[in-house]
Amino acid sequence: MNWVTSLFINKEQSFFFQITSMCYERKSLIITTNLRFGDWNYVFGDPILTEAVIDRLIHHSHLVVFKVPSNRMKESLLQS
């Protein structure tokens, strides 16, 4: 297995990478997440793939960061 195929072991990882690559500098893409970019390595499992995805997402982008408590988190804590 070479380094290129090792990047795409998981189908979901590959699919997300393909979407970001297809949209890169051609289309608009909106992504919402409650994870910091530093935590994306746990999602993708590969730092090289994670870096490639983040690079495509933030190049020419506008990041909107909300620094308020999550309503979903507050509601889930109240229910438990």
Side-chain angles (χ1 to χ4, degrees):
M1 177 165 51
N2 65 30
W3 70 273
V4 175
T5 55
S6 68
L7 291 176
F8 300 112
I9 293 171
N10 187 314
K11 284 195 304 189
E12 290 81 12
Q13 293 168 349
S14 173
F15 184 66
F16 189 71
F17 180 77
Q18 288 173 9
I19 288 173
T20 55
S21 293
M22 287 185 324
C23 293
Y24 180 61
E25 294 190 337
R26 292 186 209 122
K27 306 243 182 231
S28 297
L29 188 62
I30 297 175
I31 295 180
T32 62
T33 181
N34 59 350
L35 294 176
R36 290 172 282 162
F37 287 127
D39 296 334
W40 283 30
N41 280 330
Y42 300 110
V43 175
F44 289 99
D46 184 328
I48 296 171
L49 177 62
T50 305
E51 194 172 319
V53 168
I54 291 172
D55 181 59
R56 283 165 177 76
L57 289 175
I58 65 173
H59 188 238
H60 301 302
S61 71
H62 300 280
L63 297 177
V64 179
V65 179
F66 295 99
K67 294 186 177 187
V68 296
S70 167
N71 286 332
R72 283 186 229 147
M73 177 74 85
K74 186 171 58 176
E75 288 174 12
S76 69
L77 291 173
L78 291 174
Q79 291 177 358
S80 11

